[in-house]
Amino acid sequence: MDRIVTWHNGEKTLGPFSAEEMEARQVRLREHLAAEEIDAALLTSYHNVCYYSGFMYCAFGRTYGFVVTADSATSISAGIDGGQPWRLTHGDNITYTDWRKDNFFHAVRTLVPGAKRIGIEFDEVSLDLLAKLEAALPGVEFVDIGTATMWMRTIKSAEEIAHIKHLTRIADIGGEACREAIGVGVPEHEVALASTQAMVREIAQLRPYTELMDTWTWFQSGINTDGAHNPVTNRKIERGDILSLNCFPMVFGYYVALERTLFAETVSDEHLRLWNINVEVHEAGLELIKPGAKCSEIAAALNDIYRGYDLLKYRSFGYGHSFGVLCHYYGREAGVELREDIDTELKPGMVVSMEPMIMIPEGQPGAGGYREHDILVINDDGTVDNITGFPYGPDANIVGA
């Protein structure tokens, strides 16, 4: 039985980006390889395989990769996926079969003959994967390209920004569907389903062909709002509940976020006070995002506002992060996070969020999690566009009042 096969089934159906866009990404990677005297890159993470090839894989216990050399670019996929990886890859594709152990590594070996230095992602490659690569490619030196590729991804192209803007519009649609579904006695999961269905249906209208996967909504109520990533439950909304709306449309490996604090029918005085403070921090943060601003300085300035209200101890994470090839289970451009320990300067082409959150513990007045979230694009001319349209704050989001 063959260890690797070629399944070029059907015609190429590339994602939302042009061939010129995908080629430019691969050229930047090749320039880095040449500068560092690296013979080939083996990308294995969801985000880098997607970013450089256009193909978003579903691992399901198997290993996937994208090999880039000076003159070739080839995705490596499992037979279970048929010809879909080839149809989406900007470049070639080979398929490894399940008929013999470690056929993936045999495929890698065929694509990098004579290579002495191969770039891999140190922040993603497991010890087990590294051991198997070393066994399959004796004498090869493995060097890190995870950091370099991360920095490449932080600056978005015009096509990427246009794609992200489409997604923020869809997130706003999900937010409206979510708000319309909210009602006392309605379970969280029913609200989330209404939002997700609205977004998926809108995504289906974007282009003649699109893959519909991974769009989701986290809708939280009451104590469930204390964590930004708390899953949806069947808890029923009660009058006066604090609510968190979290809409995440995803298309071809890119997702955006819309997150809002809301209340069911009424809001207590202390809840309202805390909500307005968090809105104050949010609006201050929106003003601070501009070219040349340091992530750490933004965090420090917003800390001062919380500190003035004696609320800094209730802040639960950073103030925002880069957006691009990203999802809740993969990808993070860690060099652009609005935190005290990140000194990166914001630059044109970056797309970042502003998302302050405080969490007041259960049993205290105003208990719950408060969070607002907008996405901003830093333009080449130095201006900044807030591309999130859904309203925030008490005037808009006391539902059923």
Side-chain angles (χ1 to χ4, degrees), residues 130-176:
L130 178 58
K132 290 181 177 180
L133 286 171
E134 290 172 337
L137 299 164
V140 167
E141 178 187 2
F142 294 99
V143 296
D144 180 42
I145 56 171
T147 300
T149 54
M150 181 270 292
W151 286 116
M152 291 180 210
R153 299 195 315 273
T154 61
I155 304 299
K156 317 303 176 193
S157 68
E159 288 191 25
E160 281 184 284
I161 290 171
H163 183 59
I164 291 169
K165 286 181 177 180
H166 283 310
L167 292 180
T168 54
R169 180 184 63 81
I170 291 167
D172 288 343
I173 290 171
E176 291 293 347

Side-chain angles (χ1 to χ4, degrees), residues 6-39:
T6 301
W7 282 354
H8 291 182
N9 191 37
E11 301 296 328
K12 289 282 190 180
T13 43
L14 297 177
F17 304 115
S18 68
E20 291 77 14
E21 164 74 13
M22 298 306 299
E23 189 64 27
R25 297 180 186 187
Q26 293 177 13
V27 165
R28 288 195 298 273
L29 178 56
R30 288 191 175 102
E31 289 173 346
H32 174 76
L33 298 180
E36 298 297 320
E37 298 183 337
I38 300 171
D39 300 310

Side-chain angles (χ1 to χ4, degrees), residues 114-327:
K116 298 300 182 184
R117 283 167 52 87
I118 295 179
I120 60 174
E121 300 162 76
F122 280 18
D123 60 348
E124 193 276 335
V125 170
S126 67
L127 293 175
D128 180 63
L129 179 56
L130 178 58
K132 290 181 177 180
L133 286 171
E134 290 172 337
L137 299 164
V140 167
E141 178 187 2
F142 294 99
V143 296
D144 180 42
I145 56 171
T147 300
T149 54
M150 181 270 292
W151 286 116
M152 291 180 210
R153 299 195 315 273
T154 61
I155 304 299
K156 317 303 176 193
S157 68
E159 288 191 25
E160 281 184 284
I161 290 171
H163 183 59
I164 291 169
K165 286 181 177 180
H166 283 310
L167 292 180
T168 54
R169 180 184 63 81
I170 291 167
D172 288 343
I173 290 171
E176 291 293 347
C178 187
R179 186 163 54 184
E180 290 176 9
I182 291 170
V184 171
V186 178
E188 291 177 3
H189 69 275
E190 291 295 342
V191 178
L193 284 170
S195 171
T196 300
Q197 288 174 350
M199 291 190 289
V200 169
R201 289 182 176 124
E202 186 65 22
I203 290 168
Q205 306 302 314
L206 269 179
R207 53 182 54 83
Y209 176 84
T210 190
E211 293 186 345
L212 300 168
M213 58 182 288
D214 292 329
T215 292
W216 82 105
T217 301
W218 281 324
F219 176 75
Q220 303 137 348
S221 65
I223 194 171
N224 293 337
T225 64
D226 66 346
H229 298 163
N230 291 354
V232 174
T233 75
N234 59 353
R235 182 186 183 277
K236 294 182 179 179
I237 298 170
E238 299 176 6
R239 189 172 190 270
D241 267 348
I242 187 171
L243 311 170
S244 286
L245 171 162
N246 310 267
C247 299
F248 307 111
M250 182 166 162
V251 179
F252 288 106
Y254 285 68
Y255 100 93
V256 300
L258 166 67
E259 303 175 13
R260 290 290 184 259
T261 299
L262 309 95
F263 279 82
E265 296 188 355
T266 186
V267 55
S268 74
D269 289 344
E270 183 60 9
H271 278 106
L272 183 60
R273 184 184 78 88
L274 293 164
W275 192 6
N276 279 322
I277 291 170
N278 210 53
V279 166
E280 178 185 339
V281 174
H282 181 61
E283 291 179 339
L286 295 175
E287 293 298 320
L288 289 169
I289 292 176
K290 60 187 67 175
K294 287 186 177 181
C295 295
S296 55
E297 292 173 350
I298 293 172
L302 299 182
N303 281 347
D304 285 342
I305 301 176
Y306 278 139
R307 189 179 291 111
Y309 291 105
D310 194 28
L311 291 174
L312 185 57
K313 59 190 173 185
Y314 297 123
R315 187 191 128 196
S316 56
F317 59 90
Y319 289 103
H321 56 82
S322 181
F323 270 82
V325 181
L326 186 73
C327 190

Side-chain angles (χ1 to χ4, degrees), residues 4 39-42 65-69 71-76 92-94 104-115 118 137:
I4 54 175
D39 300 310
L42 170 61
F66 188 54
V67 173
V68 178
T69 67
D71 54 11
S72 68
T74 309
S75 59
I76 306 171
D92 203 356
N93 168 265
I94 58 172
F104 170 82
F105 302 96
H106 174 70
V108 173
R109 193 163 52 238
T110 66
L111 294 173
V112 292
I118 295 179
L137 299 164

Side-chain angles (χ1 to χ4, degrees), residues 332-379:
R332 194 169 83 150
E333 294 165 5
V336 186
E337 293 202 10
L338 306 184
R339 297 188 337 202
E340 297 87 341
D341 58 339
I342 304 293
D343 291 326
T344 302
E345 287 190 4
L346 300 183
K347 299 177 181 179
M350 288 183 173
V351 179
V352 296
S353 61
M354 172 50 55
E355 48 179 309
M357 179 176 177
I358 52 173
M359 189 281 287
I360 310 302
E362 193 74 0
Q364 294 189 25
Y370 302 76
R371 185 170 67 261
E372 312 296 343
H373 184 298
D374 286 13
I375 294 179
L376 299 98
V377 175
I378 302 175
N379 299 312

